[in-house]
Amino acid sequence: MTKRTGLSFSHVGIFVTDIERMADFYTQVLDFTITDRGTLEGPNGPFELVFTSRDPDVHHQIVLVAGRPAHIPFNVINQLSLMADSLETLKAYYRRLQEANVEELLPVTHGNALSVYCRDPEGNRLELYIDTPWYVSQPMRVPMPIELPSDELMAWAERHARGLPGFRSREEWRADMARRMGVDRTTA
């Protein structure tokens, strides 16, 4: 079967009430590995994130995000993430989203990824992104100049990433994750 080009489903972020209990469940019961954790500034103040994965090639498959209120009906989905097959595809979807006048259209770099965030018609947050060839400690998010030509954008993103904590190649990061997850690099 041929895979459709453009975007593929990648990962999910969920809001949680007790981030430590949830992190323990995903790591202790379901054998996920915490790949990163930290705090970002949001519109309502700082919030904690825990990134988890079961695959040393994938930085995160489930992201736990603090902020779910207890005992109140609440949408637990933080975001749906779709991986683009190239920077050119990501930029083309950015232009399509601009033309569609979507809400909260925001191009950012996470250091290890270049992302475009927006809201669907019912307000659900979407992330379209590509991985970069390097890794930086997460969470990290700054606006990026997506209008730059692709080669200039990648050079800008790498210069920025090189100045961030944890900078190293994606391969170095992957090898460390494989060791932490107990996955033999030759069979992964």
Side-chain angles (χ1 to χ4, degrees), residues 4-7 88-103 105 116-119 128 146:
R4 188 171 183 186
T5 60
L7 301 173
E88 289 70 28
T89 295
L90 182 67
K91 292 175 79 164
Y93 274 99
Y94 176 76
R95 289 188 296 275
R96 288 176 72 176
L97 293 163
Q98 279 183 310
E99 292 167 6
N101 295 314
V102 301
E103 294 183 31
L105 185 59
V116 172
Y117 288 92
C118 66
R119 298 281 176 177
L128 285 60
I146 195 167

mmCIF file with all atom_site columns, all heavy atoms in Angstrom, residues 4-7 88-103 105 116-119 128 146:
data_model
loop_
_atom_site.group_PDB
_atom_site.id
_atom_site.type_symbol
_atom_site.label_atom_id
_atom_site.label_alt_id
_atom_site.label_comp_id
_atom_site.label_asym_id
_atom_site.label_entity_id
_atom_site.label_seq_id
_atom_site.pdbx_PDB_ins_code
_atom_site.Cartn_x
_atom_site.Cartn_y
_atom_site.Cartn_z
_atom_site.occupancy
_atom_site.B_iso_or_equiv
_atom_site.pdbx_formal_charge
_atom_site.auth_seq_id
_atom_site.auth_comp_id
_atom_site.auth_asym_id
_atom_site.auth_atom_id
_atom_site.pdbx_PDB_model_num
ATOM 1   N N   . ARG A 1 4   ? 0.153   8.088  1.739  1.00 0.00 ? 4   ARG A N   1
ATOM 2   C CA  . ARG A 1 4   ? -0.223  9.395  1.233  1.00 0.00 ? 4   ARG A CA  1
ATOM 3   C C   . ARG A 1 4   ? 0.842   10.413 1.640  1.00 0.00 ? 4   ARG A C   1
ATOM 4   O O   . ARG A 1 4   ? 1.301   10.423 2.783  1.00 0.00 ? 4   ARG A O   1
ATOM 5   C CB  . ARG A 1 4   ? -1.578  9.794  1.802  1.00 0.00 ? 4   ARG A CB  1
ATOM 6   C CG  . ARG A 1 4   ? -2.132  11.045 1.202  1.00 0.00 ? 4   ARG A CG  1
ATOM 7   C CD  . ARG A 1 4   ? -3.546  11.264 1.646  1.00 0.00 ? 4   ARG A CD  1
ATOM 8   N NE  . ARG A 1 4   ? -4.085  12.433 0.998  1.00 0.00 ? 4   ARG A NE  1
ATOM 9   C CZ  . ARG A 1 4   ? -5.260  12.935 1.279  1.00 0.00 ? 4   ARG A CZ  1
ATOM 10  N NH1 . ARG A 1 4   ? -6.028  12.366 2.188  1.00 0.00 ? 4   ARG A NH1 1
ATOM 11  N NH2 . ARG A 1 4   ? -5.682  14.003 0.655  1.00 0.00 ? 4   ARG A NH2 1
ATOM 12  N N   . THR A 1 5   ? 1.233   11.290 0.732  1.00 0.00 ? 5   THR A N   1
ATOM 13  C CA  . THR A 1 5   ? 2.257   12.289 1.019  1.00 0.00 ? 5   THR A CA  1
ATOM 14  C C   . THR A 1 5   ? 1.652   13.492 1.734  1.00 0.00 ? 5   THR A C   1
ATOM 15  O O   . THR A 1 5   ? 0.438   13.653 1.789  1.00 0.00 ? 5   THR A O   1
ATOM 16  C CB  . THR A 1 5   ? 2.936   12.769 -0.280 1.00 0.00 ? 5   THR A CB  1
ATOM 17  O OG1 . THR A 1 5   ? 1.943   13.348 -1.121 1.00 0.00 ? 5   THR A OG1 1
ATOM 18  C CG2 . THR A 1 5   ? 3.624   11.617 -1.006 1.00 0.00 ? 5   THR A CG2 1
ATOM 19  N N   . GLY A 1 6   ? 2.514   14.328 2.270  1.00 0.00 ? 6   GLY A N   1
ATOM 20  C CA  . GLY A 1 6   ? 2.073   15.561 2.904  1.00 0.00 ? 6   GLY A CA  1
ATOM 21  C C   . GLY A 1 6   ? 2.185   15.512 4.411  1.00 0.00 ? 6   GLY A C   1
ATOM 22  O O   . GLY A 1 6   ? 3.167   15.938 4.985  1.00 0.00 ? 6   GLY A O   1
ATOM 23  N N   . LEU A 1 7   ? 1.151   14.960 5.090  1.00 0.00 ? 7   LEU A N   1
ATOM 24  C CA  . LEU A 1 7   ? 1.105   14.916 6.540  1.00 0.00 ? 7   LEU A CA  1
ATOM 25  C C   . LEU A 1 7   ? 0.818   13.514 7.023  1.00 0.00 ? 7   LEU A C   1
ATOM 26  O O   . LEU A 1 7   ? 0.091   12.771 6.368  1.00 0.00 ? 7   LEU A O   1
ATOM 27  C CB  . LEU A 1 7   ? 0.004   15.849 7.078  1.00 0.00 ? 7   LEU A CB  1
ATOM 28  C CG  . LEU A 1 7   ? 0.091   17.324 6.724  1.00 0.00 ? 7   LEU A CG  1
ATOM 29  C CD1 . LEU A 1 7   ? -1.164  18.052 7.190  1.00 0.00 ? 7   LEU A CD1 1
ATOM 30  C CD2 . LEU A 1 7   ? 1.323   17.953 7.351  1.00 0.00 ? 7   LEU A CD2 1
ATOM 31  N N   . GLU A 1 88  ? 9.183   22.133 2.651  1.00 0.00 ? 88  GLU A N   1
ATOM 32  C CA  . GLU A 1 88  ? 8.367   22.739 1.603  1.00 0.00 ? 88  GLU A CA  1
ATOM 33  C C   . GLU A 1 88  ? 6.882   22.441 1.830  1.00 0.00 ? 88  GLU A C   1
ATOM 34  O O   . GLU A 1 88  ? 6.026   23.312 1.651  1.00 0.00 ? 88  GLU A O   1
ATOM 35  C CB  . GLU A 1 88  ? 8.820   22.256 0.221  1.00 0.00 ? 88  GLU A CB  1
ATOM 36  C CG  . GLU A 1 88  ? 10.163  22.816 -0.217 1.00 0.00 ? 88  GLU A CG  1
ATOM 37  C CD  . GLU A 1 88  ? 11.358  22.274 0.579  1.00 0.00 ? 88  GLU A CD  1
ATOM 38  O OE1 . GLU A 1 88  ? 11.301  21.126 1.093  1.00 0.00 ? 88  GLU A OE1 1
ATOM 39  O OE2 . GLU A 1 88  ? 12.349  23.018 0.727  1.00 0.00 ? 88  GLU A OE2 1
ATOM 40  N N   . THR A 1 89  ? 6.563   21.218 2.258  1.00 0.00 ? 89  THR A N   1
ATOM 41  C CA  . THR A 1 89  ? 5.176   20.869 2.564  1.00 0.00 ? 89  THR A CA  1
ATOM 42  C C   . THR A 1 89  ? 4.673   21.692 3.745  1.00 0.00 ? 89  THR A C   1
ATOM 43  O O   . THR A 1 89  ? 3.556   22.218 3.711  1.00 0.00 ? 89  THR A O   1
ATOM 44  C CB  . THR A 1 89  ? 5.056   19.361 2.867  1.00 0.00 ? 89  THR A CB  1
ATOM 45  O OG1 . THR A 1 89  ? 5.386   18.623 1.683  1.00 0.00 ? 89  THR A OG1 1
ATOM 46  C CG2 . THR A 1 89  ? 3.649   18.987 3.319  1.00 0.00 ? 89  THR A CG2 1
ATOM 47  N N   . LEU A 1 90  ? 5.492   21.812 4.791  1.00 0.00 ? 90  LEU A N   1
ATOM 48  C CA  . LEU A 1 90  ? 5.102   22.600 5.960  1.00 0.00 ? 90  LEU A CA  1
ATOM 49  C C   . LEU A 1 90  ? 4.798   24.037 5.548  1.00 0.00 ? 90  LEU A C   1
ATOM 50  O O   . LEU A 1 90  ? 3.780   24.616 5.943  1.00 0.00 ? 90  LEU A O   1
ATOM 51  C CB  . LEU A 1 90  ? 6.201   22.561 7.017  1.00 0.00 ? 90  LEU A CB  1
ATOM 52  C CG  . LEU A 1 90  ? 5.901   23.308 8.314  1.00 0.00 ? 90  LEU A CG  1
ATOM 53  C CD1 . LEU A 1 90  ? 4.763   22.633 9.080  1.00 0.00 ? 90  LEU A CD1 1
ATOM 54  C CD2 . LEU A 1 90  ? 7.157   23.377 9.184  1.00 0.00 ? 90  LEU A CD2 1
ATOM 55  N N   . LYS A 1 91  ? 5.668   24.625 4.733  1.00 0.00 ? 91  LYS A N   1
ATOM 56  C CA  . LYS A 1 91  ? 5.468   26.004 4.296  1.00 0.00 ? 91  LYS A CA  1
ATOM 57  C C   . LYS A 1 91  ? 4.220   26.125 3.411  1.00 0.00 ? 91  LYS A C   1
ATOM 58  O O   . LYS A 1 91  ? 3.482   27.119 3.498  1.00 0.00 ? 91  LYS A O   1
ATOM 59  C CB  . LYS A 1 91  ? 6.723   26.503 3.570  1.00 0.00 ? 91  LYS A CB  1
ATOM 60  C CG  . LYS A 1 91  ? 7.913   26.651 4.529  1.00 0.00 ? 91  LYS A CG  1
ATOM 61  C CD  . LYS A 1 91  ? 9.184   27.014 3.819  1.00 0.00 ? 91  LYS A CD  1
ATOM 62  C CE  . LYS A 1 91  ? 9.136   28.489 3.537  1.00 0.00 ? 91  LYS A CE  1
ATOM 63  N NZ  . LYS A 1 91  ? 10.447  29.047 3.195  1.00 0.00 ? 91  LYS A NZ  1
ATOM 64  N N   . ALA A 1 92  ? 3.967   25.128 2.576  1.00 0.00 ? 92  ALA A N   1
ATOM 65  C CA  . ALA A 1 92  ? 2.768   25.155 1.725  1.00 0.00 ? 92  ALA A CA  1
ATOM 66  C C   . ALA A 1 92  ? 1.494   25.100 2.573  1.00 0.00 ? 92  ALA A C   1
ATOM 67  O O   . ALA A 1 92  ? 0.524   25.833 2.313  1.00 0.00 ? 92  ALA A O   1
ATOM 68  C CB  . ALA A 1 92  ? 2.800   24.000 0.727  1.00 0.00 ? 92  ALA A CB  1
ATOM 69  N N   . TYR A 1 93  ? 1.496   24.257 3.615  1.00 0.00 ? 93  TYR A N   1
ATOM 70  C CA  . TYR A 1 93  ? 0.331   24.203 4.501  1.00 0.00 ? 93  TYR A CA  1
ATOM 71  C C   . TYR A 1 93  ? 0.190   25.507 5.295  1.00 0.00 ? 93  TYR A C   1
ATOM 72  O O   . TYR A 1 93  ? -0.929  25.958 5.550  1.00 0.00 ? 93  TYR A O   1
ATOM 73  C CB  . TYR A 1 93  ? 0.389   22.994 5.435  1.00 0.00 ? 93  TYR A CB  1
ATOM 74  C CG  . TYR A 1 93  ? -0.179  21.761 4.799  1.00 0.00 ? 93  TYR A CG  1
ATOM 75  C CD1 . TYR A 1 93  ? 0.648   20.800 4.240  1.00 0.00 ? 93  TYR A CD1 1
ATOM 76  C CD2 . TYR A 1 93  ? -1.554  21.557 4.737  1.00 0.00 ? 93  TYR A CD2 1
ATOM 77  C CE1 . TYR A 1 93  ? 0.121   19.663 3.647  1.00 0.00 ? 93  TYR A CE1 1
ATOM 78  C CE2 . TYR A 1 93  ? -2.086  20.434 4.143  1.00 0.00 ? 93  TYR A CE2 1
ATOM 79  C CZ  . TYR A 1 93  ? -1.242  19.486 3.596  1.00 0.00 ? 93  TYR A CZ  1
ATOM 80  O OH  . TYR A 1 93  ? -1.772  18.375 2.995  1.00 0.00 ? 93  TYR A OH  1
ATOM 81  N N   . TYR A 1 94  ? 1.283   26.110 5.660  1.00 0.00 ? 94  TYR A N   1
ATOM 82  C CA  . TYR A 1 94  ? 1.217   27.407 6.338  1.00 0.00 ? 94  TYR A CA  1
ATOM 83  C C   . TYR A 1 94  ? 0.487   28.418 5.445  1.00 0.00 ? 94  TYR A C   1
ATOM 84  O O   . TYR A 1 94  ? -0.404  29.140 5.918  1.00 0.00 ? 94  TYR A O   1
ATOM 85  C CB  . TYR A 1 94  ? 2.626   27.896 6.688  1.00 0.00 ? 94  TYR A CB  1
ATOM 86  C CG  . TYR A 1 94  ? 2.642   29.271 7.303  1.00 0.00 ? 94  TYR A CG  1
ATOM 87  C CD1 . TYR A 1 94  ? 2.259   29.467 8.628  1.00 0.00 ? 94  TYR A CD1 1
ATOM 88  C CD2 . TYR A 1 94  ? 3.033   30.378 6.564  1.00 0.00 ? 94  TYR A CD2 1
ATOM 89  C CE1 . TYR A 1 94  ? 2.267   30.733 9.206  1.00 0.00 ? 94  TYR A CE1 1
ATOM 90  C CE2 . TYR A 1 94  ? 3.048   31.652 7.134  1.00 0.00 ? 94  TYR A CE2 1
ATOM 91  C CZ  . TYR A 1 94  ? 2.661   31.812 8.448  1.00 0.00 ? 94  TYR A CZ  1
ATOM 92  O OH  . TYR A 1 94  ? 2.663   33.065 9.014  1.00 0.00 ? 94  TYR A OH  1
ATOM 93  N N   . ARG A 1 95  ? 0.862   28.458 4.169  1.00 0.00 ? 95  ARG A N   1
ATOM 94  C CA  . ARG A 1 95  ? 0.197   29.388 3.245  1.00 0.00 ? 95  ARG A CA  1
ATOM 95  C C   . ARG A 1 95  ? -1.289  29.050 3.095  1.00 0.00 ? 95  ARG A C   1
ATOM 96  O O   . ARG A 1 95  ? -2.142  29.945 3.072  1.00 0.00 ? 95  ARG A O   1
ATOM 97  C CB  . ARG A 1 95  ? 0.905   29.374 1.884  1.00 0.00 ? 95  ARG A CB  1
ATOM 98  C CG  . ARG A 1 95  ? 2.285   30.031 1.930  1.00 0.00 ? 95  ARG A CG  1
ATOM 99  C CD  . ARG A 1 95  ? 2.911   30.190 0.551  1.00 0.00 ? 95  ARG A CD  1
ATOM 100 N NE  . ARG A 1 95  ? 3.188   28.920 -0.105 1.00 0.00 ? 95  ARG A NE  1
ATOM 101 C CZ  . ARG A 1 95  ? 4.292   28.202 0.082  1.00 0.00 ? 95  ARG A CZ  1
ATOM 102 N NH1 . ARG A 1 95  ? 5.234   28.619 0.920  1.00 0.00 ? 95  ARG A NH1 1
ATOM 103 N NH2 . ARG A 1 95  ? 4.470   27.074 -0.574 1.00 0.00 ? 95  ARG A NH2 1
ATOM 104 N N   . ARG A 1 96  ? -1.615  27.758 3.017  1.00 0.00 ? 96  ARG A N   1
ATOM 105 C CA  . ARG A 1 96  ? -3.023  27.355 2.924  1.00 0.00 ? 96  ARG A CA  1
ATOM 106 C C   . ARG A 1 96  ? -3.802  27.784 4.163  1.00 0.00 ? 96  ARG A C   1
ATOM 107 O O   . ARG A 1 96  ? -4.945  28.237 4.071  1.00 0.00 ? 96  ARG A O   1
ATOM 108 C CB  . ARG A 1 96  ? -3.132  25.839 2.755  1.00 0.00 ? 96  ARG A CB  1
ATOM 109 C CG  . ARG A 1 96  ? -2.710  25.355 1.382  1.00 0.00 ? 96  ARG A CG  1
ATOM 110 C CD  . ARG A 1 96  ? -2.724  23.861 1.280  1.00 0.00 ? 96  ARG A CD  1
ATOM 111 N NE  . ARG A 1 96  ? -4.093  23.352 1.248  1.00 0.00 ? 96  ARG A NE  1
ATOM 112 C CZ  . ARG A 1 96  ? -4.396  22.077 1.086  1.00 0.00 ? 96  ARG A CZ  1
ATOM 113 N NH1 . ARG A 1 96  ? -3.426  21.179 0.943  1.00 0.00 ? 96  ARG A NH1 1
ATOM 114 N NH2 . ARG A 1 96  ? -5.645  21.675 1.059  1.00 0.00 ? 96  ARG A NH2 1
ATOM 115 N N   . LEU A 1 97  ? -3.195  27.632 5.341  1.00 0.00 ? 97  LEU A N   1
ATOM 116 C CA  . LEU A 1 97  ? -3.841  28.036 6.583  1.00 0.00 ? 97  LEU A CA  1
ATOM 117 C C   . LEU A 1 97  ? -4.030  29.546 6.630  1.00 0.00 ? 97  LEU A C   1
ATOM 118 O O   . LEU A 1 97  ? -5.068  30.032 7.097  1.00 0.00 ? 97  LEU A O   1
ATOM 119 C CB  . LEU A 1 97  ? -3.029  27.543 7.787  1.00 0.00 ? 97  LEU A CB  1
ATOM 120 C CG  . LEU A 1 97  ? -2.984  26.024 7.963  1.00 0.00 ? 97  LEU A CG  1
ATOM 121 C CD1 . LEU A 1 97  ? -1.859  25.623 8.903  1.00 0.00 ? 97  LEU A CD1 1
ATOM 122 C CD2 . LEU A 1 97  ? -4.325  25.494 8.447  1.00 0.00 ? 97  LEU A CD2 1
ATOM 123 N N   . GLN A 1 98  ? -3.048  30.305 6.127  1.00 0.00 ? 98  GLN A N   1
ATOM 124 C CA  . GLN A 1 98  ? -3.195  31.760 6.054  1.00 0.00 ? 98  GLN A CA  1
ATOM 125 C C   . GLN A 1 98  ? -4.381  32.118 5.161  1.00 0.00 ? 98  GLN A C   1
ATOM 126 O O   . GLN A 1 98  ? -5.208  32.952 5.532  1.00 0.00 ? 98  GLN A O   1
ATOM 127 C CB  . GLN A 1 98  ? -1.931  32.404 5.469  1.00 0.00 ? 98  GLN A CB  1
ATOM 128 C CG  . GLN A 1 98  ? -0.804  32.593 6.424  1.00 0.00 ? 98  GLN A CG  1
ATOM 129 C CD  . GLN A 1 98  ? 0.361   33.305 5.757  1.00 0.00 ? 98  GLN A CD  1
ATOM 130 O OE1 . GLN A 1 98  ? 0.809   32.917 4.680  1.00 0.00 ? 98  GLN A OE1 1
ATOM 131 N NE2 . GLN A 1 98  ? 0.842   34.350 6.414  1.00 0.00 ? 98  GLN A NE2 1
ATOM 132 N N   . GLU A 1 99  ? -4.450  31.484 3.994  1.00 0.00 ? 99  GLU A N   1
ATOM 133 C CA  . GLU A 1 99  ? -5.536  31.761 3.045  1.00 0.00 ? 99  GLU A CA  1
ATOM 134 C C   . GLU A 1 99  ? -6.897  31.392 3.618  1.00 0.00 ? 99  GLU A C   1
ATOM 135 O O   . GLU A 1 99  ? -7.903  32.021 3.282  1.00 0.00 ? 99  GLU A O   1
ATOM 136 C CB  . GLU A 1 99  ? -5.290  31.011 1.732  1.00 0.00 ? 99  GLU A CB  1
ATOM 137 C CG  . GLU A 1 99  ? -4.102  31.539 0.955  1.00 0.00 ? 99  GLU A CG  1
ATOM 138 C CD  . GLU A 1 99  ? -3.669  30.620 -0.179 1.00 0.00 ? 99  GLU A CD  1
ATOM 139 O OE1 . GLU A 1 99  ? -4.348  29.602 -0.451 1.00 0.00 ? 99  GLU A OE1 1
ATOM 140 O OE2 . GLU A 1 99  ? -2.614  30.914 -0.788 1.00 0.00 ? 99  GLU A OE2 1
ATOM 141 N N   . ALA A 1 100 ? -6.925  30.372 4.490  1.00 0.00 ? 100 ALA A N   1
ATOM 142 C CA  . ALA A 1 100 ? -8.179  29.937 5.110  1.00 0.00 ? 100 ALA A CA  1
ATOM 143 C C   . ALA A 1 100 ? -8.531  30.775 6.345  1.00 0.00 ? 100 ALA A C   1
ATOM 144 O O   . ALA A 1 100 ? -9.565  30.529 6.974  1.00 0.00 ? 100 ALA A O   1
ATOM 145 C CB  . ALA A 1 100 ? -8.088  28.460 5.492  1.00 0.00 ? 100 ALA A CB  1
ATOM 146 N N   . ASN A 1 101 ? -7.685  31.771 6.680  1.00 0.00 ? 101 ASN A N   1
ATOM 147 C CA  . ASN A 1 101 ? -7.920  32.644 7.833  1.00 0.00 ? 101 ASN A CA  1
ATOM 148 C C   . ASN A 1 101 ? -8.153  31.873 9.124  1.00 0.00 ? 101 ASN A C   1
ATOM 149 O O   . ASN A 1 101 ? -9.053  32.194 9.897  1.00 0.00 ? 101 ASN A O   1
ATOM 150 C CB  . ASN A 1 101 ? -9.097  33.590 7.565  1.00 0.00 ? 101 ASN A CB  1
ATOM 151 C CG  . ASN A 1 101 ? -8.801  34.548 6.437  1.00 0.00 ? 101 ASN A CG  1
ATOM 152 O OD1 . ASN A 1 101 ? -7.729  35.142 6.390  1.00 0.00 ? 101 ASN A OD1 1
ATOM 153 N ND2 . ASN A 1 101 ? -9.732  34.666 5.506  1.00 0.00 ? 101 ASN A ND2 1
ATOM 154 N N   . VAL A 1 102 ? -7.332  30.840 9.369  1.00 0.00 ? 102 VAL A N   1
ATOM 155 C CA  . VAL A 1 102 ? -7.477  30.065 10.592 1.00 0.00 ? 102 VAL A CA  1
ATOM 156 C C   . VAL A 1 102 ? -7.045  30.910 11.794 1.00 0.00 ? 102 VAL A C   1
ATOM 157 O O   . VAL A 1 102 ? -6.276  31.861 11.657 1.00 0.00 ? 102 VAL A O   1
ATOM 158 C CB  . VAL A 1 102 ? -6.686  28.739 10.566 1.00 0.00 ? 102 VAL A CB  1
ATOM 159 C CG1 . VAL A 1 102 ? -7.120  27.867 9.415  1.00 0.00 ? 102 VAL A CG1 1
ATOM 160 C CG2 . VAL A 1 102 ? -5.199  28.995 10.513 1.00 0.00 ? 102 VAL A CG2 1
ATOM 161 N N   . GLU A 1 103 ? -7.538  30.536 12.962 1.00 0.00 ? 103 GLU A N   1
ATOM 162 C CA  . GLU A 1 103 ? -7.230  31.270 14.184 1.00 0.00 ? 103 GLU A CA  1
ATOM 163 C C   . GLU A 1 103 ? -5.887  30.844 14.771 1.00 0.00 ? 103 GLU A C   1
ATOM 164 O O   . GLU A 1 103 ? -5.482  29.693 14.660 1.00 0.00 ? 103 GLU A O   1
ATOM 165 C CB  . GLU A 1 103 ? -8.324  31.025 15.222 1.00 0.00 ? 103 GLU A CB  1
ATOM 166 C CG  . GLU A 1 103 ? -9.665  31.606 14.820 1.00 0.00 ? 103 GLU A CG  1
ATOM 167 C CD  . GLU A 1 103 ? -10.703 31.410 15.905 1.00 0.00 ? 103 GLU A CD  1
ATOM 168 O OE1 . GLU A 1 103 ? -10.348 31.386 17.099 1.00 0.00 ? 103 GLU A OE1 1
ATOM 169 O OE2 . GLU A 1 103 ? -11.878 31.273 15.530 1.00 0.00 ? 103 GLU A OE2 1
ATOM 170 N N   . LEU A 1 105 ? -2.716  31.300 14.134 1.00 0.00 ? 105 LEU A N   1
ATOM 171 C CA  . LEU A 1 105 ? -1.669  30.739 13.280 1.00 0.00 ? 105 LEU A CA  1
ATOM 172 C C   . LEU A 1 105 ? -0.313  31.229 13.774 1.00 0.00 ? 105 LEU A C   1
ATOM 173 O O   . LEU A 1 105 ? -0.046  32.428 13.808 1.00 0.00 ? 105 LEU A O   1
ATOM 174 C CB  . LEU A 1 105 ? -1.907  31.160 11.831 1.00 0.00 ? 105 LEU A CB  1
ATOM 175 C CG  . LEU A 1 105 ? -0.978  30.577 10.779 1.00 0.00 ? 105 LEU A CG  1
ATOM 176 C CD1 . LEU A 1 105 ? -1.041  29.048 10.783 1.00 0.00 ? 105 LEU A CD1 1
ATOM 177 C CD2 . LEU A 1 105 ? -1.359  31.114 9.405  1.00 0.00 ? 105 LEU A CD2 1
ATOM 178 N N   . VAL A 1 116 ? 4.100   24.682 12.972 1.00 0.00 ? 116 VAL A N   1
ATOM 179 C CA  . VAL A 1 116 ? 3.060   25.665 12.723 1.00 0.00 ? 116 VAL A CA  1
ATOM 180 C C   . VAL A 1 116 ? 1.868   25.240 13.570 1.00 0.00 ? 116 VAL A C   1
ATOM 181 O O   . VAL A 1 116 ? 1.381   24.112 13.439 1.00 0.00 ? 116 VAL A O   1
ATOM 182 C CB  . VAL A 1 116 ? 2.675   25.722 11.230 1.00 0.00 ? 116 VAL A CB  1
ATOM 183 C CG1 . VAL A 1 116 ? 1.456   26.611 11.022 1.00 0.00 ? 116 VAL A CG1 1
ATOM 184 C CG2 . VAL A 1 116 ? 3.853   26.199 10.390 1.00 0.00 ? 116 VAL A CG2 1
ATOM 185 N N   . TYR A 1 117 ? 1.420   26.134 14.452 1.00 0.00 ? 117 TYR A N   1
ATOM 186 C CA  . TYR A 1 117 ? 0.259   25.865 15.298 1.00 0.00 ? 117 TYR A CA  1
ATOM 187 C C   . TYR A 1 117 ? -0.920  26.688 14.806 1.00 0.00 ? 117 TYR A C   1
ATOM 188 O O   . TYR A 1 117 ? -0.744  27.806 14.308 1.00 0.00 ? 117 TYR A O   1
ATOM 189 C CB  . TYR A 1 117 ? 0.540   26.242 16.759 1.00 0.00 ? 117 TYR A CB  1
ATOM 190 C CG  . TYR A 1 117 ? 1.482   25.302 17.444 1.00 0.00 ? 117 TYR A CG  1
ATOM 191 C CD1 . TYR A 1 117 ? 2.844   25.533 17.455 1.00 0.00 ? 117 TYR A CD1 1
ATOM 192 C CD2 . TYR A 1 117 ? 1.000   24.167 18.090 1.00 0.00 ? 117 TYR A CD2 1
ATOM 193 C CE1 . TYR A 1 117 ? 3.717   24.663 18.089 1.00 0.00 ? 117 TYR A CE1 1
ATOM 194 C CE2 . TYR A 1 117 ? 1.859   23.291 18.735 1.00 0.00 ? 117 TYR A CE2 1
ATOM 195 C CZ  . TYR A 1 117 ? 3.219   23.550 18.726 1.00 0.00 ? 117 TYR A CZ  1
ATOM 196 O OH  . TYR A 1 117 ? 4.068   22.678 19.359 1.00 0.00 ? 117 TYR A OH  1
ATOM 197 N N   . CYS A 1 118 ? -2.121  26.125 14.972 1.00 0.00 ? 118 CYS A N   1
ATOM 198 C CA  . CYS A 1 118 ? -3.342  26.846 14.628 1.00 0.00 ? 118 CYS A CA  1
ATOM 199 C C   . CYS A 1 118 ? -4.518  26.166 15.321 1.00 0.00 ? 118 CYS A C   1
ATOM 200 O O   . CYS A 1 118 ? -4.341  25.158 16.015 1.00 0.00 ? 118 CYS A O   1
ATOM 201 C CB  . CYS A 1 118 ? -3.557  26.879 13.120 1.00 0.00 ? 118 CYS A CB  1
ATOM 202 S SG  . CYS A 1 118 ? -3.877  25.260 12.388 1.00 0.00 ? 118 CYS A SG  1
ATOM 203 N N   . ARG A 1 119 ? -5.701  26.719 15.125 1.00 0.00 ? 119 ARG A N   1
ATOM 204 C CA  . ARG A 1 119 ? -6.937  26.140 15.654 1.00 0.00 ? 119 ARG A CA  1
ATOM 205 C C   . ARG A 1 119 ? -7.800  25.665 14.485 1.00 0.00 ? 119 ARG A C   1
ATOM 206 O O   . ARG A 1 119 ? -7.884  26.341 13.459 1.00 0.00 ? 119 ARG A O   1
ATOM 207 C CB  . ARG A 1 119 ? -7.730  27.167 16.463 1.00 0.00 ? 119 ARG A CB  1
ATOM 208 C CG  . ARG A 1 119 ? -7.021  27.704 17.674 1.00 0.00 ? 119 ARG A CG  1
ATOM 209 C CD  . ARG A 1 119 ? -7.084  26.750 18.818 1.00 0.00 ? 119 ARG A CD  1
ATOM 210 N NE  . ARG A 1 119 ? -6.303  27.252 19.957 1.00 0.00 ? 119 ARG A NE  1
ATOM 211 C CZ  . ARG A 1 119 ? -6.229  26.637 21.099 1.00 0.00 ? 119 ARG A CZ  1
ATOM 212 N NH1 . ARG A 1 119 ? -6.893  25.509 21.297 1.00 0.00 ? 119 ARG A NH1 1
ATOM 213 N NH2 . ARG A 1 119 ? -5.500  27.114 22.072 1.00 0.00 ? 119 ARG A NH2 1
ATOM 214 N N   . LEU A 1 128 ? 1.400   21.269 12.950 1.00 0.00 ? 128 LEU A N   1
ATOM 215 C CA  . LEU A 1 128 ? 2.003   20.680 11.765 1.00 0.00 ? 128 LEU A CA  1
ATOM 216 C C   . LEU A 1 128 ? 3.496   20.939 11.897 1.00 0.00 ? 128 LEU A C   1
ATOM 217 O O   . LEU A 1 128 ? 3.891   22.060 12.255 1.00 0.00 ? 128 LEU A O   1
ATOM 218 C CB  . LEU A 1 128 ? 1.480   21.336 10.483 1.00 0.00 ? 128 LEU A CB  1
ATOM 219 C CG  . LEU A 1 128 ? 0.073   20.982 10.023 1.00 0.00 ? 128 LEU A CG  1
ATOM 220 C CD1 . LEU A 1 128 ? -0.979  21.333 11.044 1.00 0.00 ? 128 LEU A CD1 1
ATOM 221 C CD2 . LEU A 1 128 ? -0.237  21.639 8.706  1.00 0.00 ? 128 LEU A CD2 1
ATOM 222 N N   . ILE A 1 146 ? 9.048   31.946 9.183  1.00 0.00 ? 146 ILE A N   1
ATOM 223 C CA  . ILE A 1 146 ? 8.753   30.901 8.195  1.00 0.00 ? 146 ILE A CA  1
ATOM 224 C C   . ILE A 1 146 ? 8.761   31.425 6.760  1.00 0.00 ? 146 ILE A C   1
ATOM 225 O O   . ILE A 1 146 ? 8.914   30.654 5.821  1.00 0.00 ? 146 ILE A O   1
ATOM 226 C CB  . ILE A 1 146 ? 7.416   30.192 8.522  1.00 0.00 ? 146 ILE A CB  1
ATOM 227 C CG1 . ILE A 1 146 ? 7.300   28.887 7.734  1.00 0.00 ? 146 ILE A CG1 1
ATOM 228 C CG2 . ILE A 1 146 ? 6.235   31.139 8.275  1.00 0.00 ? 146 ILE A CG2 1
ATOM 229 C CD1 . ILE A 1 146 ? 6.184   27.987 8.204  1.00 0.00 ? 146 ILE A CD1 1
#
